[in-house]
């Protein structure tokens, strides 16, 4: 287990299309987090799971965004009807204590 | 509401000089404070956690609850310290709230 992995690493899509990203956490970590990062800004929290339960969602997470973590293992983040403002780096992190370990991110470009 | 402020977007020093990256936070309770670092083309990684009181790669950070600060310091900067540094706060096991980050450049 070499750490948190995310796929795909890059995604280019046209406005209005749906996209789905996957995050595989470190295997013994029960908490999983999604963040979004735009240029020149620090990561902003989107949502997090403890096992399969989604415990918190940010107000940033509009109705077009949905996240799942079936069986408390990997997680998916889906964005429906993408908009140009969704272009960003989407980061996943996992933890079993206070420290969160980050994946490499998925860079989304909406054209 | 939780907030983290890093007042300097850019910080440049020469190799061997001391460096201090500032971080101020606002939260009424007892948060956990962290410094994360992102080297070029690498993922975000944890550098320091305040409760561990460790020195990592020569960096230290002291939590000052009176001034609500958690500044990162290193007495002698090295070129390999050049990176983006983020200060972050969490309460319990929940979300991290990040500052905007400081780009540190260490010149030879």
């Amino acid at each position: 287990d070499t750490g948190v992995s995310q796929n795909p690493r890059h995604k280019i899509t046209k406005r209005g299309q749906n996209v789905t990203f996957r995050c595989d956490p470190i295997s013994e970590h029960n908490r999983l987090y999604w963040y979004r990062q735009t240029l020149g800004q620090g990561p902003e929290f989107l949502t997090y799971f403890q096992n399969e339960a989604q415990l918190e969602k940010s107000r940033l997470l509009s109705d077009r965004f949905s996240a799942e973590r079936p069986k408390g293992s990997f997680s998916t983040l889906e964005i429906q009807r993408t908009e140009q403002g969704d272009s960003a780096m989407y980061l996943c992190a996992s933890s079993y204590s206070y420290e969160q370990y980050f994946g490499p991110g998925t860079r989304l470009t909406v054209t | 509401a939780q907030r983290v402020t890093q007042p300097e977007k850019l910080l440049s020093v020469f190799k061997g000089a001391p460096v201090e990256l500032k971080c101020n936070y606002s939260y009424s309770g007892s948060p956990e404070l962290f410094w994360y670092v992102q080297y070029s083309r690498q993922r975000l990684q944890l550098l320091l956690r305040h409760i561990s009181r460790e020195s990592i790669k020569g960096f230290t950070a002291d939590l000052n609850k009176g001034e609500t600060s958690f500044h990162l310091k290193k007495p002698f900067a090295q070129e390999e310290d050049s990176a983006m540094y983020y200060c972050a706060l969490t309460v319990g096991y929940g979300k991290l709230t990040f500052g905007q980050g400081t780009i540190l450049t260490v010149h030879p």
Side-chain angles (χ1 to χ4, degrees), chain A residues 4 31 33 35 37 41-43 45 56 97-100 102-104, chain B residues 9 32 34 36 43-44 46 49 86 90 92-96 98-100:
Chain A
V4 178
R31 279 180 288 277
Y33 307 79
Y35 295 85
Q37 186 174 25
Q41 302 294 320
F45 170 77
E56 187 177 351
S97 66
Y98 289 107
E99 291 96 344
Q100 294 182 23
F102 283 80
Chain B
K9 280 204 151 181
E32 294 283 334
F34 303 87
Y36 279 82
R43 66 182 67 190
L44 202 57
L46 179 65
R49 177 185 168 194
Y86 292 100
T90 190
Y93 295 121
K95 65 185 178 186
L96 283 167
F98 286 88
Q100 288 194 315

PDB file of all heavy atoms in Angstrom, chain A residues 4 31 33 35 37 41-43 45 56 97-100 102-104, chain B residues 9 32 34 36 43-44 46 49 86 90 92-96 98-100:
ATOM      1  N   VAL A   4      -2.556   7.041  -0.619  1.00  0.00           N
ATOM      2  CA  VAL A   4      -3.858   7.336  -1.217  1.00  0.00           C
ATOM      3  C   VAL A   4      -3.689   7.469  -2.729  1.00  0.00           C
ATOM      4  O   VAL A   4      -2.756   8.147  -3.183  1.00  0.00           O
ATOM      5  CB  VAL A   4      -4.430   8.646  -0.638  1.00  0.00           C
ATOM      6  CG1 VAL A   4      -5.762   8.979  -1.283  1.00  0.00           C
ATOM      7  CG2 VAL A   4      -4.560   8.532   0.878  1.00  0.00           C
ATOM      8  N   ARG A  31     -11.510   7.059   7.808  1.00  0.00           N
ATOM      9  CA  ARG A  31     -12.076   8.347   7.399  1.00  0.00           C
ATOM     10  C   ARG A  31     -11.508   8.762   6.045  1.00  0.00           C
ATOM     11  O   ARG A  31     -10.320   8.559   5.755  1.00  0.00           O
ATOM     12  CB  ARG A  31     -11.780   9.423   8.449  1.00  0.00           C
ATOM     13  CG  ARG A  31     -12.748   9.368   9.622  1.00  0.00           C
ATOM     14  CD  ARG A  31     -12.445  10.446  10.641  1.00  0.00           C
ATOM     15  NE  ARG A  31     -11.227  10.138  11.384  1.00  0.00           N
ATOM     16  CZ  ARG A  31     -11.205   9.324  12.429  1.00  0.00           C
ATOM     17  NH1 ARG A  31     -12.301   8.746  12.866  1.00  0.00           N
ATOM     18  NH2 ARG A  31     -10.059   9.094  13.054  1.00  0.00           N
ATOM     19  N   TYR A  33     -11.805  12.001   3.031  1.00  0.00           N
ATOM     20  CA  TYR A  33     -12.176  13.406   2.827  1.00  0.00           C
ATOM     21  C   TYR A  33     -11.992  13.787   1.358  1.00  0.00           C
ATOM     22  O   TYR A  33     -11.056  13.313   0.697  1.00  0.00           O
ATOM     23  CB  TYR A  33     -11.268  14.323   3.666  1.00  0.00           C
ATOM     24  CG  TYR A  33     -11.187  13.971   5.133  1.00  0.00           C
ATOM     25  CD1 TYR A  33     -10.375  12.925   5.576  1.00  0.00           C
ATOM     26  CD2 TYR A  33     -11.891  14.704   6.097  1.00  0.00           C
ATOM     27  CE1 TYR A  33     -10.283  12.612   6.920  1.00  0.00           C
ATOM     28  CE2 TYR A  33     -11.796  14.390   7.436  1.00  0.00           C
ATOM     29  CZ  TYR A  33     -11.002  13.348   7.838  1.00  0.00           C
ATOM     30  OH  TYR A  33     -10.906  13.031   9.178  1.00  0.00           O
ATOM     31  N   TYR A  35     -11.558  17.360  -1.001  1.00  0.00           N
ATOM     32  CA  TYR A  35     -11.297  18.791  -1.017  1.00  0.00           C
ATOM     33  C   TYR A  35     -11.207  19.248  -2.463  1.00  0.00           C
ATOM     34  O   TYR A  35     -10.928  18.462  -3.369  1.00  0.00           O
ATOM     35  CB  TYR A  35      -9.955  19.114  -0.328  1.00  0.00           C
ATOM     36  CG  TYR A  35      -9.887  18.802   1.141  1.00  0.00           C
ATOM     37  CD1 TYR A  35      -9.560  17.512   1.583  1.00  0.00           C
ATOM     38  CD2 TYR A  35     -10.147  19.783   2.097  1.00  0.00           C
ATOM     39  CE1 TYR A  35      -9.491  17.223   2.941  1.00  0.00           C
ATOM     40  CE2 TYR A  35     -10.078  19.494   3.460  1.00  0.00           C
ATOM     41  CZ  TYR A  35      -9.748  18.215   3.864  1.00  0.00           C
ATOM     42  OH  TYR A  35      -9.685  17.935   5.204  1.00  0.00           O
ATOM     43  N   GLN A  37      -9.313  22.378  -4.802  1.00  0.00           N
ATOM     44  CA  GLN A  37      -8.298  23.425  -4.763  1.00  0.00           C
ATOM     45  C   GLN A  37      -8.247  24.135  -6.095  1.00  0.00           C
ATOM     46  O   GLN A  37      -8.076  23.512  -7.148  1.00  0.00           O
ATOM     47  CB  GLN A  37      -6.924  22.830  -4.437  1.00  0.00           C
ATOM     48  CG  GLN A  37      -5.836  23.870  -4.241  1.00  0.00           C
ATOM     49  CD  GLN A  37      -4.541  23.256  -3.776  1.00  0.00           C
ATOM     50  OE1 GLN A  37      -4.264  22.091  -4.009  1.00  0.00           O
ATOM     51  NE2 GLN A  37      -3.713  24.048  -3.100  1.00  0.00           N
ATOM     52  N   GLN A  41      -5.148  29.174  -4.176  1.00  0.00           N
ATOM     53  CA  GLN A  41      -5.918  28.999  -2.935  1.00  0.00           C
ATOM     54  C   GLN A  41      -5.508  27.719  -2.230  1.00  0.00           C
ATOM     55  O   GLN A  41      -5.021  26.774  -2.862  1.00  0.00           O
ATOM     56  CB  GLN A  41      -7.416  28.920  -3.250  1.00  0.00           C
ATOM     57  CG  GLN A  41      -7.979  30.119  -3.985  1.00  0.00           C
ATOM     58  CD  GLN A  41      -7.936  31.369  -3.130  1.00  0.00           C
ATOM     59  OE1 GLN A  41      -8.210  31.334  -1.931  1.00  0.00           O
ATOM     60  NE2 GLN A  41      -7.564  32.484  -3.742  1.00  0.00           N
ATOM     61  N   GLY A  42      -5.743  27.687  -0.932  1.00  0.00           N
ATOM     62  CA  GLY A  42      -5.567  26.439  -0.216  1.00  0.00           C
ATOM     63  C   GLY A  42      -6.737  25.502  -0.494  1.00  0.00           C
ATOM     64  O   GLY A  42      -7.788  25.928  -0.975  1.00  0.00           O
ATOM     65  N   PRO A  43      -6.559  24.216  -0.214  1.00  0.00           N
ATOM     66  CA  PRO A  43      -7.668  23.280  -0.408  1.00  0.00           C
ATOM     67  C   PRO A  43      -8.895  23.678   0.420  1.00  0.00           C
ATOM     68  O   PRO A  43      -8.762  24.141   1.548  1.00  0.00           O
ATOM     69  CB  PRO A  43      -7.085  21.949   0.093  1.00  0.00           C
ATOM     70  CG  PRO A  43      -5.606  22.099  -0.031  1.00  0.00           C
ATOM     71  CD  PRO A  43      -5.331  23.544   0.249  1.00  0.00           C
ATOM     72  N   PHE A  45     -12.597  22.257   1.899  1.00  0.00           N
ATOM     73  CA  PHE A  45     -13.305  21.036   2.239  1.00  0.00           C
ATOM     74  C   PHE A  45     -14.609  20.903   1.453  1.00  0.00           C
ATOM     75  O   PHE A  45     -15.358  21.878   1.288  1.00  0.00           O
ATOM     76  CB  PHE A  45     -13.609  21.058   3.739  1.00  0.00           C
ATOM     77  CG  PHE A  45     -14.542  19.987   4.210  1.00  0.00           C
ATOM     78  CD1 PHE A  45     -14.105  18.688   4.368  1.00  0.00           C
ATOM     79  CD2 PHE A  45     -15.868  20.286   4.497  1.00  0.00           C
ATOM     80  CE1 PHE A  45     -14.965  17.701   4.816  1.00  0.00           C
ATOM     81  CE2 PHE A  45     -16.738  19.313   4.941  1.00  0.00           C
ATOM     82  CZ  PHE A  45     -16.282  18.013   5.105  1.00  0.00           C
ATOM     83  N   GLU A  56     -20.330  14.904   6.950  1.00  0.00           N
ATOM     84  CA  GLU A  56     -20.413  16.354   6.776  1.00  0.00           C
ATOM     85  C   GLU A  56     -20.279  16.711   5.308  1.00  0.00           C
ATOM     86  O   GLU A  56     -19.504  16.085   4.578  1.00  0.00           O
ATOM     87  CB  GLU A  56     -19.325  17.064   7.589  1.00  0.00           C
ATOM     88  CG  GLU A  56     -19.457  18.585   7.601  1.00  0.00           C
ATOM     89  CD  GLU A  56     -18.418  19.292   8.458  1.00  0.00           C
ATOM     90  OE1 GLU A  56     -17.674  18.614   9.194  1.00  0.00           O
ATOM     91  OE2 GLU A  56     -18.352  20.542   8.382  1.00  0.00           O
ATOM     92  N   SER A  97      -6.553   8.960  12.409  1.00  0.00           N
ATOM     93  CA  SER A  97      -6.414   9.823  13.592  1.00  0.00           C
ATOM     94  C   SER A  97      -6.511  11.265  13.118  1.00  0.00           C
ATOM     95  O   SER A  97      -7.290  11.556  12.226  1.00  0.00           O
ATOM     96  CB  SER A  97      -5.093   9.532  14.296  1.00  0.00           C
ATOM     97  OG  SER A  97      -4.009   9.914  13.469  1.00  0.00           O
ATOM     98  N   TYR A  98      -5.741  12.157  13.724  1.00  0.00           N
ATOM     99  CA  TYR A  98      -5.833  13.559  13.326  1.00  0.00           C
ATOM    100  C   TYR A  98      -5.129  13.850  12.008  1.00  0.00           C
ATOM    101  O   TYR A  98      -5.525  14.742  11.270  1.00  0.00           O
ATOM    102  CB  TYR A  98      -5.221  14.460  14.409  1.00  0.00           C
ATOM    103  CG  TYR A  98      -6.053  14.540  15.648  1.00  0.00           C
ATOM    104  CD1 TYR A  98      -5.664  13.890  16.807  1.00  0.00           C
ATOM    105  CD2 TYR A  98      -7.232  15.278  15.675  1.00  0.00           C
ATOM    106  CE1 TYR A  98      -6.427  13.964  17.955  1.00  0.00           C
ATOM    107  CE2 TYR A  98      -7.994  15.368  16.821  1.00  0.00           C
ATOM    108  CZ  TYR A  98      -7.593  14.703  17.956  1.00  0.00           C
ATOM    109  OH  TYR A  98      -8.346  14.771  19.088  1.00  0.00           O
ATOM    110  N   GLU A  99      -4.062  13.104  11.683  1.00  0.00           N
ATOM    111  CA  GLU A  99      -3.312  13.412  10.461  1.00  0.00           C
ATOM    112  C   GLU A  99      -4.037  12.880   9.236  1.00  0.00           C
ATOM    113  O   GLU A  99      -4.447  11.726   9.215  1.00  0.00           O
ATOM    114  CB  GLU A  99      -1.907  12.770  10.523  1.00  0.00           C
ATOM    115  CG  GLU A  99      -0.996  13.383  11.547  1.00  0.00           C
ATOM    116  CD  GLU A  99      -0.986  12.629  12.868  1.00  0.00           C
ATOM    117  OE1 GLU A  99      -1.902  11.823  13.099  1.00  0.00           O
ATOM    118  OE2 GLU A  99      -0.051  12.859  13.644  1.00  0.00           O
ATOM    119  N   GLN A 100      -4.154  13.736   8.244  1.00  0.00           N
ATOM    120  CA  GLN A 100      -4.761  13.325   6.985  1.00  0.00           C
ATOM    121  C   GLN A 100      -3.663  13.162   5.941  1.00  0.00           C
ATOM    122  O   GLN A 100      -2.762  13.995   5.850  1.00  0.00           O
ATOM    123  CB  GLN A 100      -5.797  14.357   6.522  1.00  0.00           C
ATOM    124  CG  GLN A 100      -6.984  14.440   7.464  1.00  0.00           C
ATOM    125  CD  GLN A 100      -8.045  15.411   7.003  1.00  0.00           C
ATOM    126  OE1 GLN A 100      -8.147  15.731   5.822  1.00  0.00           O
ATOM    127  NE2 GLN A 100      -8.858  15.877   7.932  1.00  0.00           N
ATOM    128  N   PHE A 102      -2.833  12.760   1.917  1.00  0.00           N
ATOM    129  CA  PHE A 102      -3.453  13.182   0.676  1.00  0.00           C
ATOM    130  C   PHE A 102      -3.027  12.347  -0.519  1.00  0.00           C
ATOM    131  O   PHE A 102      -1.895  11.848  -0.590  1.00  0.00           O
ATOM    132  CB  PHE A 102      -3.117  14.658   0.401  1.00  0.00           C
ATOM    133  CG  PHE A 102      -3.928  15.591   1.232  1.00  0.00           C
ATOM    134  CD1 PHE A 102      -3.590  15.849   2.552  1.00  0.00           C
ATOM    135  CD2 PHE A 102      -5.057  16.209   0.708  1.00  0.00           C
ATOM    136  CE1 PHE A 102      -4.364  16.696   3.335  1.00  0.00           C
ATOM    137  CE2 PHE A 102      -5.829  17.063   1.480  1.00  0.00           C
ATOM    138  CZ  PHE A 102      -5.483  17.300   2.794  1.00  0.00           C
ATOM    139  N   GLY A 103      -3.941  12.238  -1.470  1.00  0.00           N
ATOM    140  CA  GLY A 103      -3.628  11.658  -2.755  1.00  0.00           C
ATOM    141  C   GLY A 103      -3.058  12.710  -3.687  1.00  0.00           C
ATOM    142  O   GLY A 103      -2.959  13.885  -3.334  1.00  0.00           O
ATOM    143  N   PRO A 104      -2.716  12.297  -4.912  1.00  0.00           N
ATOM    144  CA  PRO A 104      -2.101  13.226  -5.861  1.00  0.00           C
ATOM    145  C   PRO A 104      -3.082  14.191  -6.512  1.00  0.00           C
ATOM    146  O   PRO A 104      -2.671  15.181  -7.109  1.00  0.00           O
ATOM    147  CB  PRO A 104      -1.499  12.290  -6.919  1.00  0.00           C
ATOM    148  CG  PRO A 104      -2.368  11.075  -6.866  1.00  0.00           C
ATOM    149  CD  PRO A 104      -2.775  10.930  -5.429  1.00  0.00           C
TER     150      PRO A 104
ATOM    151  N   LYS B   9       1.984  35.660   0.820  1.00  0.00           N
ATOM    152  CA  LYS B   9       1.815  34.716  -0.288  1.00  0.00           C
ATOM    153  C   LYS B   9       3.166  34.232  -0.784  1.00  0.00           C
ATOM    154  O   LYS B   9       3.318  33.102  -1.235  1.00  0.00           O
ATOM    155  CB  LYS B   9       1.063  35.383  -1.440  1.00  0.00           C
ATOM    156  CG  LYS B   9      -0.418  35.455  -1.250  1.00  0.00           C
ATOM    157  CD  LYS B   9      -1.145  35.569  -2.590  1.00  0.00           C
ATOM    158  CE  LYS B   9      -2.510  34.968  -2.493  1.00  0.00           C
ATOM    159  NZ  LYS B   9      -3.239  35.030  -3.765  1.00  0.00           N
ATOM    160  N   GLU B  32      -6.571  21.456  16.591  1.00  0.00           N
ATOM    161  CA  GLU B  32      -5.297  20.842  16.233  1.00  0.00           C
ATOM    162  C   GLU B  32      -4.728  21.656  15.073  1.00  0.00           C
ATOM    163  O   GLU B  32      -5.435  21.962  14.119  1.00  0.00           O
ATOM    164  CB  GLU B  32      -5.514  19.399  15.772  1.00  0.00           C
ATOM    165  CG  GLU B  32      -6.005  18.457  16.844  1.00  0.00           C
ATOM    166  CD  GLU B  32      -4.888  18.045  17.789  1.00  0.00           C
ATOM    167  OE1 GLU B  32      -3.721  18.060  17.365  1.00  0.00           O
ATOM    168  OE2 GLU B  32      -5.201  17.709  18.949  1.00  0.00           O
ATOM    169  N   PHE B  34      -1.664  22.179  12.114  1.00  0.00           N
ATOM    170  CA  PHE B  34      -0.725  21.432  11.282  1.00  0.00           C
ATOM    171  C   PHE B  34      -0.034  22.375  10.303  1.00  0.00           C
ATOM    172  O   PHE B  34      -0.575  23.415   9.931  1.00  0.00           O
ATOM    173  CB  PHE B  34      -1.455  20.377  10.431  1.00  0.00           C
ATOM    174  CG  PHE B  34      -2.263  19.395  11.213  1.00  0.00           C
ATOM    175  CD1 PHE B  34      -3.566  19.679  11.564  1.00  0.00           C
ATOM    176  CD2 PHE B  34      -1.724  18.179  11.585  1.00  0.00           C
ATOM    177  CE1 PHE B  34      -4.331  18.773  12.288  1.00  0.00           C
ATOM    178  CE2 PHE B  34      -2.474  17.263  12.307  1.00  0.00           C
ATOM    179  CZ  PHE B  34      -3.778  17.566  12.654  1.00  0.00           C
ATOM    180  N   TYR B  36       1.367  21.689   6.429  1.00  0.00           N
ATOM    181  CA  TYR B  36       1.524  20.797   5.290  1.00  0.00           C
ATOM    182  C   TYR B  36       2.455  21.463   4.283  1.00  0.00           C
ATOM    183  O   TYR B  36       2.499  22.692   4.170  1.00  0.00           O
ATOM    184  CB  TYR B  36       0.173  20.518   4.626  1.00  0.00           C
ATOM    185  CG  TYR B  36      -0.650  19.460   5.316  1.00  0.00           C
ATOM    186  CD1 TYR B  36      -1.421  19.765   6.426  1.00  0.00           C
ATOM    187  CD2 TYR B  36      -0.651  18.144   4.860  1.00  0.00           C
ATOM    188  CE1 TYR B  36      -2.179  18.787   7.064  1.00  0.00           C
ATOM    189  CE2 TYR B  36      -1.400  17.160   5.489  1.00  0.00           C
ATOM    190  CZ  TYR B  36      -2.161  17.493   6.592  1.00  0.00           C
ATOM    191  OH  TYR B  36      -2.903  16.522   7.220  1.00  0.00           O
ATOM    192  N   ARG B  43       2.593  15.490  -4.074  1.00  0.00           N
ATOM    193  CA  ARG B  43       1.344  15.648  -3.354  1.00  0.00           C
ATOM    194  C   ARG B  43       1.552  16.404  -2.049  1.00  0.00           C
ATOM    195  O   ARG B  43       2.677  16.511  -1.552  1.00  0.00           O
ATOM    196  CB  ARG B  43       0.723  14.271  -3.068  1.00  0.00           C
ATOM    197  CG  ARG B  43       1.517  13.397  -2.118  1.00  0.00           C
ATOM    198  CD  ARG B  43       0.838  12.040  -1.940  1.00  0.00           C
ATOM    199  NE  ARG B  43       0.874  11.246  -3.178  1.00  0.00           N
ATOM    200  CZ  ARG B  43       0.203  10.124  -3.344  1.00  0.00           C
ATOM    201  NH1 ARG B  43      -0.550   9.649  -2.367  1.00  0.00           N
ATOM    202  NH2 ARG B  43       0.285   9.453  -4.463  1.00  0.00           N
ATOM    203  N   LEU B  44       0.478  16.900  -1.531  1.00  0.00           N
ATOM    204  CA  LEU B  44       0.480  17.576  -0.243  1.00  0.00           C
ATOM    205  C   LEU B  44       0.880  16.568   0.846  1.00  0.00           C
ATOM    206  O   LEU B  44       0.352  15.450   0.895  1.00  0.00           O
ATOM    207  CB  LEU B  44      -0.930  18.089   0.018  1.00  0.00           C
ATOM    208  CG  LEU B  44      -1.174  19.216   0.985  1.00  0.00           C
ATOM    209  CD1 LEU B  44      -0.389  20.448   0.620  1.00  0.00           C
ATOM    210  CD2 LEU B  44      -2.669  19.544   1.001  1.00  0.00           C
ATOM    211  N   LEU B  46       2.130  15.992   5.123  1.00  0.00           N
ATOM    212  CA  LEU B  46       2.181  16.561   6.461  1.00  0.00           C
ATOM    213  C   LEU B  46       3.632  16.849   6.853  1.00  0.00           C
ATOM    214  O   LEU B  46       4.510  15.997   6.694  1.00  0.00           O
ATOM    215  CB  LEU B  46       1.572  15.577   7.453  1.00  0.00           C
ATOM    216  CG  LEU B  46       1.559  16.010   8.914  1.00  0.00           C
ATOM    217  CD1 LEU B  46       0.654  17.221   9.110  1.00  0.00           C
ATOM    218  CD2 LEU B  46       1.111  14.861   9.793  1.00  0.00           C
ATOM    219  N   ARG B  49       2.794  18.534  13.202  1.00  0.00           N
ATOM    220  CA  ARG B  49       1.540  18.612  13.961  1.00  0.00           C
ATOM    221  C   ARG B  49       1.893  19.212  15.318  1.00  0.00           C
ATOM    222  O   ARG B  49       2.878  18.788  15.935  1.00  0.00           O
ATOM    223  CB  ARG B  49       0.970  17.214  14.142  1.00  0.00           C
ATOM    224  CG  ARG B  49      -0.293  17.165  14.966  1.00  0.00           C
ATOM    225  CD  ARG B  49      -0.734  15.738  15.207  1.00  0.00           C
ATOM    226  NE  ARG B  49      -1.774  15.706  16.213  1.00  0.00           N
ATOM    227  CZ  ARG B  49      -2.179  14.592  16.825  1.00  0.00           C
ATOM    228  NH1 ARG B  49      -1.622  13.439  16.526  1.00  0.00           N
ATOM    229  NH2 ARG B  49      -3.130  14.641  17.731  1.00  0.00           N
ATOM    230  N   TYR B  86       1.370  25.194   3.688  1.00  0.00           N
ATOM    231  CA  TYR B  86       0.023  25.491   4.133  1.00  0.00           C
ATOM    232  C   TYR B  86      -0.099  25.233   5.625  1.00  0.00           C
ATOM    233  O   TYR B  86       0.303  24.180   6.116  1.00  0.00           O
ATOM    234  CB  TYR B  86      -1.008  24.597   3.433  1.00  0.00           C
ATOM    235  CG  TYR B  86      -1.179  24.836   1.968  1.00  0.00           C
ATOM    236  CD1 TYR B  86      -0.571  24.004   1.029  1.00  0.00           C
ATOM    237  CD2 TYR B  86      -1.968  25.889   1.501  1.00  0.00           C
ATOM    238  CE1 TYR B  86      -0.736  24.215  -0.328  1.00  0.00           C
ATOM    239  CE2 TYR B  86      -2.138  26.102   0.147  1.00  0.00           C
ATOM    240  CZ  TYR B  86      -1.519  25.265  -0.760  1.00  0.00           C
ATOM    241  OH  TYR B  86      -1.682  25.475  -2.101  1.00  0.00           O
ATOM    242  N   THR B  90      -7.832  21.751  12.431  1.00  0.00           N
ATOM    243  CA  THR B  90      -8.963  20.840  12.493  1.00  0.00           C
ATOM    244  C   THR B  90      -9.478  20.769  13.925  1.00  0.00           C
ATOM    245  O   THR B  90      -8.746  21.051  14.880  1.00  0.00           O
ATOM    246  CB  THR B  90      -8.608  19.433  11.984  1.00  0.00           C
ATOM    247  OG1 THR B  90      -9.807  18.664  11.864  1.00  0.00           O
ATOM    248  CG2 THR B  90      -7.678  18.705  12.943  1.00  0.00           C
ATOM    249  N   GLY B  92     -11.438  17.974  16.290  1.00  0.00           N
ATOM    250  CA  GLY B  92     -11.785  16.562  16.283  1.00  0.00           C
ATOM    251  C   GLY B  92     -11.166  15.883  15.077  1.00  0.00           C
ATOM    252  O   GLY B  92     -10.056  16.201  14.669  1.00  0.00           O
ATOM    253  N   TYR B  93     -11.894  14.970  14.492  1.00  0.00           N
ATOM    254  CA  TYR B  93     -11.380  14.240  13.342  1.00  0.00           C
ATOM    255  C   TYR B  93     -12.000  14.728  12.036  1.00  0.00           C
ATOM    256  O   TYR B  93     -11.972  14.043  11.032  1.00  0.00           O
ATOM    257  CB  TYR B  93     -11.678  12.742  13.497  1.00  0.00           C
ATOM    258  CG  TYR B  93     -10.961  12.111  14.663  1.00  0.00           C
ATOM    259  CD1 TYR B  93     -11.668  11.497  15.686  1.00  0.00           C
ATOM    260  CD2 TYR B  93      -9.577  12.138  14.735  1.00  0.00           C
ATOM    261  CE1 TYR B  93     -11.012  10.916  16.751  1.00  0.00           C
ATOM    262  CE2 TYR B  93      -8.909  11.563  15.792  1.00  0.00           C
ATOM    263  CZ  TYR B  93      -9.640  10.949  16.800  1.00  0.00           C
ATOM    264  OH  TYR B  93      -8.983  10.380  17.858  1.00  0.00           O
ATOM    265  N   GLY B  94     -12.521  15.959  12.062  1.00  0.00           N
ATOM    266  CA  GLY B  94     -13.237  16.463  10.906  1.00  0.00           C
ATOM    267  C   GLY B  94     -12.353  17.129   9.882  1.00  0.00           C
ATOM    268  O   GLY B  94     -11.159  16.861   9.756  1.00  0.00           O
ATOM    269  N   LYS B  95     -12.968  18.037   9.147  1.00  0.00           N
ATOM    270  CA  LYS B  95     -12.312  18.689   8.030  1.00  0.00           C
ATOM    271  C   LYS B  95     -11.112  19.507   8.467  1.00  0.00           C
ATOM    272  O   LYS B  95     -11.049  20.019   9.587  1.00  0.00           O
ATOM    273  CB  LYS B  95     -13.312  19.617   7.340  1.00  0.00           C
ATOM    274  CG  LYS B  95     -13.746  20.765   8.230  1.00  0.00           C
ATOM    275  CD  LYS B  95     -14.824  21.615   7.591  1.00  0.00           C
ATOM    276  CE  LYS B  95     -15.248  22.726   8.543  1.00  0.00           C
ATOM    277  NZ  LYS B  95     -16.396  23.484   8.006  1.00  0.00           N
ATOM    278  N   LEU B  96     -10.169  19.636   7.528  1.00  0.00           N
ATOM    279  CA  LEU B  96      -9.075  20.586   7.683  1.00  0.00           C
ATOM    280  C   LEU B  96      -9.500  21.912   7.064  1.00  0.00           C
ATOM    281  O   LEU B  96     -10.065  21.936   5.972  1.00  0.00           O
ATOM    282  CB  LEU B  96      -7.829  20.079   6.971  1.00  0.00           C
ATOM    283  CG  LEU B  96      -7.025  18.972   7.667  1.00  0.00           C
ATOM    284  CD1 LEU B  96      -6.020  18.364   6.704  1.00  0.00           C
ATOM    285  CD2 LEU B  96      -6.325  19.511   8.908  1.00  0.00           C
ATOM    286  N   PHE B  98      -7.716  25.184   5.671  1.00  0.00           N
ATOM    287  CA  PHE B  98      -6.384  25.592   5.242  1.00  0.00           C
ATOM    288  C   PHE B  98      -6.286  27.103   5.088  1.00  0.00           C
ATOM    289  O   PHE B  98      -7.276  27.785   4.769  1.00  0.00           O
ATOM    290  CB  PHE B  98      -6.065  24.984   3.869  1.00  0.00           C
ATOM    291  CG  PHE B  98      -5.751  23.515   3.901  1.00  0.00           C
ATOM    292  CD1 PHE B  98      -6.760  22.573   3.804  1.00  0.00           C
ATOM    293  CD2 PHE B  98      -4.439  23.079   4.007  1.00  0.00           C
ATOM    294  CE1 PHE B  98      -6.474  21.212   3.827  1.00  0.00           C
ATOM    295  CE2 PHE B  98      -4.133  21.725   4.025  1.00  0.00           C
ATOM    296  CZ  PHE B  98      -5.158  20.792   3.935  1.00  0.00           C
ATOM    297  N   GLY B  99      -5.074  27.613   5.271  1.00  0.00           N
ATOM    298  CA  GLY B  99      -4.760  28.965   4.854  1.00  0.00           C
ATOM    299  C   GLY B  99      -4.521  28.984   3.355  1.00  0.00           C
ATOM    300  O   GLY B  99      -4.584  27.948   2.677  1.00  0.00           O
ATOM    301  N   GLN B 100      -4.238  30.176   2.832  1.00  0.00           N
ATOM    302  CA  GLN B 100      -4.053  30.305   1.389  1.00  0.00           C
ATOM    303  C   GLN B 100      -2.690  29.834   0.913  1.00  0.00           C
ATOM    304  O   GLN B 100      -2.468  29.681  -0.284  1.00  0.00           O
ATOM    305  CB  GLN B 100      -4.261  31.762   0.964  1.00  0.00           C
ATOM    306  CG  GLN B 100      -5.716  32.187   1.029  1.00  0.00           C
ATOM    307  CD  GLN B 100      -5.954  33.476   0.294  1.00  0.00           C
ATOM    308  OE1 GLN B 100      -5.188  34.434   0.440  1.00  0.00           O
ATOM    309  NE2 GLN B 100      -7.005  33.536  -0.496  1.00  0.00           N
TER     310      GLN B 100
END
